[in-house]
Amino acid sequence: MSRPLEGWRWPRVFAESALIVLSILFAFGIEAGWSQRNDRVSEVEALQGLRDDFAENVDRFAESRVEHTEIRDAAIRVLALTGPNAEAPPDLVMDSLVMSLIGGPKVFAVTATYDALIASGRIDLLRSSPLRRGLATWSAALADLGEEEREA
């Protein structure tokens, strides 16, 4: 009776097996490296988007500050014009001042990149834990601002 494994070249079988295993490990390594590279590219894109959003928000908040200052100045003028010793101002002046007091400015912050990161579940792309915590604080600060504006 013959043995089924007789005649096999065992060193060659082991070498081919090792080569197959190494090829698979090499492919996994390439895939992991490519995935990590794509994550870093996505992180850079997210950081650039956040930077652009925050730059736009700086401009919006600066405009809002100017509008709030104008409203404050108009309120001071109304108070001065309606005080105990004030002379009656022309109707057009008073109308203009009262209109500027109605419906103060509302700030609508740009949160497109932040919202996309949260919705996609990819906030973990940002490797910086302080940045992730800061973004969580940013969201709460915007919610507080919106609440204060609704109450005003």
Side-chain angles (χ1 to χ4, degrees):
M1 176 191 290
S2 92
R3 297 164 105 188
L5 297 178
E6 262 182 44
W8 282 43
R9 297 183 185 144
W10 287 107
R12 181 181 172 133
V13 169
F14 286 129
E16 286 181 11
S17 298
L19 187 60
I20 290 170
V21 168
L22 287 174
S23 297
I24 292 170
L25 291 175
F26 184 68
F28 283 146
I30 289 173
E31 175 62 26
W34 188 254
S35 177
Q36 190 175 36
R37 180 201 168 280
N38 287 340
D39 284 350
R40 297 300 61 94
V41 167
S42 296
E43 178 187 28
V44 167
E45 290 172 353
L47 290 171
Q48 289 171 340
L50 288 168
R51 182 196 61 213
D52 293 344
D53 288 357
F54 286 132
E56 175 66 23
N57 286 328
V58 166
D59 293 341
R60 288 182 180 204
F61 289 137
E63 290 170 10
S64 177
R65 182 183 174 116
V66 168
E67 291 173 3
H68 278 93
T69 301
E70 290 170 355
I71 291 170
R72 183 201 65 205
D73 293 346
I76 291 170
R77 285 198 63 209
V78 166
L79 291 173
L81 292 172
T82 57
N85 299 327
E87 294 181 22
D91 289 340
L92 189 56
V93 170
M94 189 56 88
D95 288 348
S96 167
L97 289 171
V98 169
M99 287 304 292
S100 65
L101 296 175
I102 296 173
K106 303 283 188 244
V107 178
F108 297 101
V110 178
T111 60
T113 303
Y114 173 78
D115 292 342
L117 283 170
I118 295 299
S120 69
R122 297 299 315 263
I123 194 78
D124 63 325
L125 280 176
L126 305 175
R127 292 179 285 177
S128 169
S129 329
L131 176 59
R132 287 193 306 268
R133 281 192 303 274
L135 287 174
T137 304
W138 168 247
S139 178
L142 288 179
D144 290 346
L145 176 63
E147 184 68 27
E148 288 175 13
E149 284 186 336
R150 280 189 293 281
E151 290 174 0

